[in-house]
Amino acid sequence: MSRLSQPDPELTHRIGRRGMLGVAAGATAAALLGAAAGPATAATRATAATPGTVGAPGRGRPVLPPGRLGIQLYSLRDKVSTLGFGPVFAELERYGYDEVEFAGYTQGSAGPITLAQLKRLARNHGLNPIGSHVGYHSGDPNAYTFATNLTKVLDDAQALGLKHIGTASNPFRHGSTVDAWKRAAEDFNTYGAAAKARGMKFYQHNHSEEFSFATDKPHVRLYDVLLAETDPDLVYLEMDIYWAYVGQFRFSRRPDGTPAPFDPLDYVLRQPHRYPLFHVKDGVSDPSTEHGYRMADVGDGDIDYRRFLSAVTRLRGERFAHHWQAEHDNPAESFTFARKSSAHLHSLREKC
C-alpha cells in the first residue's frame, strides 16, 4: 500500500489490514465482550442525543445528519479478531452507529465467515455496509488489489451490497512527478468506470503526503493533480480530515519556502459531490511533532468538527449526501473510542 520507492511512515499502521477482519458468536465471545467493553446502557444514547452536552454549544439542529454515522472497522480490528464481527456489530448498534466501512472481510482468529453471512449480520444489527478499503496495486499478480484483481474486488463489494469501494493507498505508484500522478489518475479512472458499471463509486482515501508537491514541478500540489486528472463522474474522494489537517501543517509552504496555505474544508466546499465519504479522526495540536498533531479520540482533540460538519451539511442538497466514518488508527481502547466518538458527534449542534 505504500509507494514503490520507500514506505511512507504514516501508512505503516495499515500493513496487514487486508484479511485481518468477519463472525464468532457463542458464550465465550459474549463474555469477552462484556469484560472488554463494560456496560452500555440507554444512558449512552441519551447522552449522545441530548443538546447542550460537552462540546455542543448552541441550541441549533444537530450537525450530524441522522442515519449517516459510521465507523471504519480498522479502528476495532483487535475486537474483530478476538470476538468476531457479531459481538462488535452488537456493540456498535448500542452506541448508535448507522454504518460500517470494512478494512477486510475475514476475522482472523475468530473464525471464518462468508460474505453473505457478513452482509446479513451487519443488517441484523441495523448497520449499513457503506464502503471498503482495498489495496491499489502489488507486485504479486495474485494479490487482492484493484490493479491485480479488479473483477474479484468488485464481485466481493457487490456481494456485500456496497455503494462505495475504494483504496487507502496513495497514488505514488508511478512516482511523485506530475506525469506519474496523471498515470495514477488514469488507473483510478479505469477502476471508477468498472465500479460505476456495477452501480458503485470508486474512491481514494488520503493521508498527508497527497498534499505535498511534485518533485519535477515543486509549485504544483499533487492533490490538485489528482483532482484535475480524475473524472469527477468516476473517481470520488474520502477525505480523512485528520490527515488533511496534518497535510495543512506539513505542506503550507512549497519546497522553496514560499507560502502555499490551504484549508482542507475549502476542497470539499468547492466540489462537495466528490466527497461522499469522510473519516472523522481527531488530533491534539502539537507543532513540535512531525505531523503537527497527536491522534486522539474524536472529541478529545482540537479539530473543530462542529464547524466542519456544519459547513458541509448546510450546503443546498448536501445534508444527506455524505457519510461520516469515525476512526482512530491505534485507540487506547477501541470500544471506548467508538462509544465516545458517537456520543461526541451526536452531541454537536449548530450555532443559533
Side-chain angles (χ1 to χ4, degrees):
M1 283 188 171
S2 59
R3 71 184 89 164
L4 292 182
S5 56
Q6 62 181 31
D8 183 340
E10 72 185 33
L11 298 184
T12 57
H13 66 281
R14 298 192 183 274
I15 293 175
R17 70 186 299 177
R18 187 186 77 238
M20 73 187 168
L21 297 176
V23 147
T28 301
L32 286 170
L33 177 64
T41 67
T44 301
R45 289 181 186 244
T47 300
T50 301
T53 52
V54 175
R59 295 186 179 181
R61 68 176 178 175
V63 300
L64 182 70
R68 289 295 185 270
L69 179 61
I71 192 166
Q72 166 51 255
L73 291 171
Y74 181 71
S75 304
L76 296 158
R77 61 196 180 277
D78 61 325
K79 297 297 192 294
V80 171
S81 65
T82 55
L83 306 177
F85 279 118
V88 170
F89 287 172
E91 202 70 3
L92 294 177
E93 181 182 17
R94 295 170 71 188
Y95 296 159
Y97 283 94
D98 311 297
E99 302 173 336
V100 288
E101 182 184 31
F102 290 101
Y105 310 134
T106 64
Q107 50 185 10
S109 60
I113 186 172
T114 67
L115 294 178
Q117 290 172 326
L118 185 54
K119 179 181 179 180
R120 183 168 58 252
L121 188 65
R123 301 289 186 181
N124 287 346
H125 288 288
L127 298 170
N128 179 30
I130 194 64
S132 180
H133 285 185
V134 177
Y136 170 15
H137 63 93
S138 172
D140 178 359
N142 298 312
Y144 190 79
T145 72
F146 282 96
T148 56
N149 226 324
L150 179 59
T151 299
K152 175 61 174 171
V153 167
L154 297 181
D155 284 347
D156 289 349
Q158 200 163 28
L160 282 167
L162 301 181
K163 296 300 183 184
H164 309 82
I165 180 69
T167 183
S169 304
N170 61 40
F172 285 99
R173 176 186 184 184
H174 306 293
S176 52
T177 65
V178 169
D179 283 344
W181 274 54
K182 287 182 177 180
R183 289 180 62 191
E186 290 177 5
D187 292 342
F188 288 0
N189 285 334
T190 298
Y191 310 149
K196 184 176 182 178
R198 306 273 197 116
M200 293 178 283
K201 292 180 178 179
F202 169 81
Y203 63 95
Q204 194 267 342
H205 164 285
N206 65 275
H207 292 82
S208 71
E209 287 291 340
E210 282 86 337
F211 298 95
S212 63
F213 298 93
T215 52
D216 59 332
K217 297 181 179 179
H219 62 287
V220 175
R221 194 180 302 279
L222 289 171
Y223 195 68
D224 295 334
V225 177
L226 181 67
L227 285 169
E229 296 296 327
T230 50
D231 186 330
D233 292 326
L234 300 178
V235 177
Y236 297 84
L237 292 307
E238 177 180 59
M239 178 175 282
D240 186 304
I241 299 168
Y242 170 86
W243 285 120
Y245 278 103
V246 171
Q248 180 190 57
F249 174 82
R250 296 181 65 194
F251 303 113
S252 283
R253 289 187 176 275
R254 299 181 183 88
D256 65 3
T258 58
F262 72 94
D263 186 338
L265 180 58
D266 288 342
Y267 277 105
V268 181
L269 297 183
R270 284 194 294 266
Q271 300 186 70
H273 64 285
R274 296 206 71 179
Y275 293 89
L277 304 174
F278 291 92
H279 272 190
V280 181
K281 185 184 300 180
D282 215 342
V284 176
S285 179
D286 185 354
S288 69
T289 66
E290 175 190 3
H291 291 147
Y293 291 88
R294 288 178 284 105
M295 202 173 292
D297 290 350
V298 178
D300 290 346
D302 298 317
I303 296 177
D304 189 347
Y305 276 110
R306 184 179 64 165
R307 168 183 174 264
F308 199 103
L309 272 76
S310 293
V312 176
T313 58
R314 282 177 176 174
L315 296 172
R316 182 182 294 273
E318 296 296 328
R319 182 158 176 79
F320 292 96
H322 308 275
H323 305 266
W324 307 88
Q325 315 296 306
E327 188 186 33
H328 191 309
D329 293 349
N330 292 291
E333 208 294 311
S334 55
F335 277 147
T336 300
F337 156 75
R339 176 182 52 77
K340 287 172 58 181
S341 298
S342 176
H344 177 73
L345 291 169
H346 278 106
S347 77
L348 296 178
R349 304 184 77 83
E350 293 179 352
K351 290 183 178 179
C352 293

